[in-house]
Amino acid sequence: MGSITDVGGIRVGHHHRLDPDATLGSGWASGVTVVLAPPETVGAVDCRGGAPGSRETDLLDPANSVRWVDAVVLSGGSAYGLATADGVMTWLEEQGRGVALDGGVVPIVPAAVIFDLPVGGWDRRPTAQFGYAAAAAAAGPDGDKPVVGSVGAGVGARAGVFKGGVGTVSATLELGEHTVTVGALVVVNPTGEVIDATTGLPWSAQLVEEFGLTSPPSEQLAVLAGLEPKSLALNTTIAVVATDAALSPAGCRRVAIAAHDGLARTIRPSHTPVDGDTVFALATGAVEVPALPGAPAALSQESGLITAVGAAAADCLARAVLVGLLAADPVAGIPTYRGTLPGAFADKLTGRSWA
């Protein structure tokens, strides 16, 4: 299904620490994921959750002065995990990336975190060194092939009753003579459920069909019904959507807003008072698309482009949520969807290595 790195210039790196024998609340199970952007990438953000943990999000308001984003950090560790952005800034400074000022550069690194402390332990959270390592990994030879599942910021993620993780997806749009790429990367850690407990399937019938899933047998549904509900304290889904289309800061913000629809389609409930659901949007500007036909003259010339890219971003984010769930491996005793409901996988998917 592709990845966010199908958008030219976007790179992804993970760094985490996971103790093989970790149990819930004991042992390392946390990490960070860094999305590196090419120079002169426009950034924006939209937060729909009531309990966000974030950094530099005010800077992304289209009314403010900074034009470009150098990287976005998605981290575990709750507010403590925001320290990982320090390491990313250090790495970027060494590369000469950032706003050029007298005496040096200041990298622009927005960040958001999930609350995963009860999974690995309250004193085991990512540091600046984690962020530095993830940024270096993103720039390395495998930065265009991001791993999904229980990696990076998704190591300690939990999606309702199941283990959550990192998911990524991409899509292309044919807009006149231009091909635009849209991608999404998400850390799936919601209070709500990605799976309907009565059917054992995702909420969206479209995703059920697209992923080739089928209703699991009744004995597996009985196991699902007996799983312990997730604590309201374990929350927040954070994501980055990206496109190679040229967008203004305000247009990029509209894409971030639209992308949240992908969370609402796949997580019930989403955007709750105890979630910090936050979506960043990046536009590299590599593809200049002229005004599309059909937009009212009173609207901006990029309105049609924003609409198309925003709709694709929502679709990609919805699919990426499911990828993150399906790819997750067991951590700290948290059950996985694959392990609990193997009967949901049609024959054509049983041999697929999601991770």
Side-chain angles (χ1 to χ4, degrees):
M1 292 189 176
S3 77
I4 194 172
T5 57
D6 292 333
V7 177
I10 297 293
R11 312 277 295 184
V12 174
H14 304 297
H15 186 76
H16 61 259
R17 181 174 172 184
L18 174 61
D19 294 342
D21 57 350
T23 57
L24 201 61
S26 177
W28 270 94
S30 193
V32 61
T33 296
V34 172
V35 179
L36 286 183
E40 299 187 0
T41 293
V42 174
V45 66
D46 187 64
C47 177
R48 299 276 155 143
S54 59
R55 167 172 168 160
E56 296 280 37
T57 51
D58 283 350
L59 196 66
L60 299 184
D61 188 314
N64 291 332
S65 300
V66 172
R67 300 177 63 191
W68 318 125
V69 169
D70 297 299
V72 176
V73 175
L74 308 177
S75 182
S78 188
Y80 296 106
L82 292 173
T84 58
D86 293 341
V88 179
M89 289 187 69
T90 298
W91 186 89
L92 287 164
E93 183 185 23
E94 293 174 356
Q95 317 309 311
R97 288 284 308 273
V99 178
L101 300 169
D102 291 342
V105 297
V106 179
I108 304 302
V109 184
V113 295
I114 65 169
F115 189 83
D116 61 355
L117 295 176
V119 175
W122 283 78
D123 58 345
R124 297 171 176 88
R125 59 249 186 176
T127 63
Q129 288 72 29
F130 280 61
Y132 187 99
D142 295 325
D144 61 343
K145 299 181 286 290
V147 181
V148 295
S150 300
V151 295
V155 164
R158 184 169 179 175
V161 296
F162 290 123
K163 181 71 183 69
V166 173
T168 186
V169 160
S170 68
T172 56
L173 301 173
E174 299 301 328
L175 302 177
E177 299 179 355
H178 301 273
T179 299
V180 168
T181 304
V182 179
L185 182 142
V186 61
V187 182
V188 187
N189 186 60
T191 293
E193 299 290 348
V194 180
I195 299 300
D196 181 352
T198 62
T199 65
L201 296 171
W203 300 104
S204 167
Q206 179 179 344
L207 289 178
V208 172
E209 180 178 357
E210 183 175 354
F211 281 73
L213 301 174
T214 187
S215 297
S218 58
E219 60 269 23
Q220 293 178 13
L221 289 175
V223 174
L224 170 59
L227 294 181
E228 182 178 353
K230 178 181 178 182
S231 166
L232 289 179
L234 293 165
N235 53 39
T236 298
T237 297
I238 50 180
V240 180
V241 296
T243 181
D244 52 11
L247 294 173
S248 66
C252 208
R253 171 75 188 283
R254 294 305 313 178
V255 169
I257 292 170
H260 270 285
D261 290 351
L263 300 184
R265 293 175 200 164
T266 51
I267 301 167
R268 296 189 183 181
S270 59
H271 307 142
T272 74
V274 294
D275 284 283
D277 297 344
T278 301
V279 176
F280 296 93
L282 301 174
T284 69
V287 180
E288 292 276 356
V289 180
L292 298 178
L299 300 181
S300 71
Q301 287 191 340
E302 66 173 348
S303 295
L305 177 61
I306 294 168
T307 300
V309 172
D315 289 341
C316 284
L317 189 49
R319 293 158 63 205
V321 167
L322 199 51
V323 169
L325 182 82
L326 297 179
D329 293 317
V331 169
I334 303 171
T336 66
Y337 182 82
R338 297 198 322 267
T340 306
L341 302 173
F345 293 86
D347 290 342
K348 64 180 180 179
L349 290 179
T350 52
R352 177 168 180 172
S353 175
W354 286 98

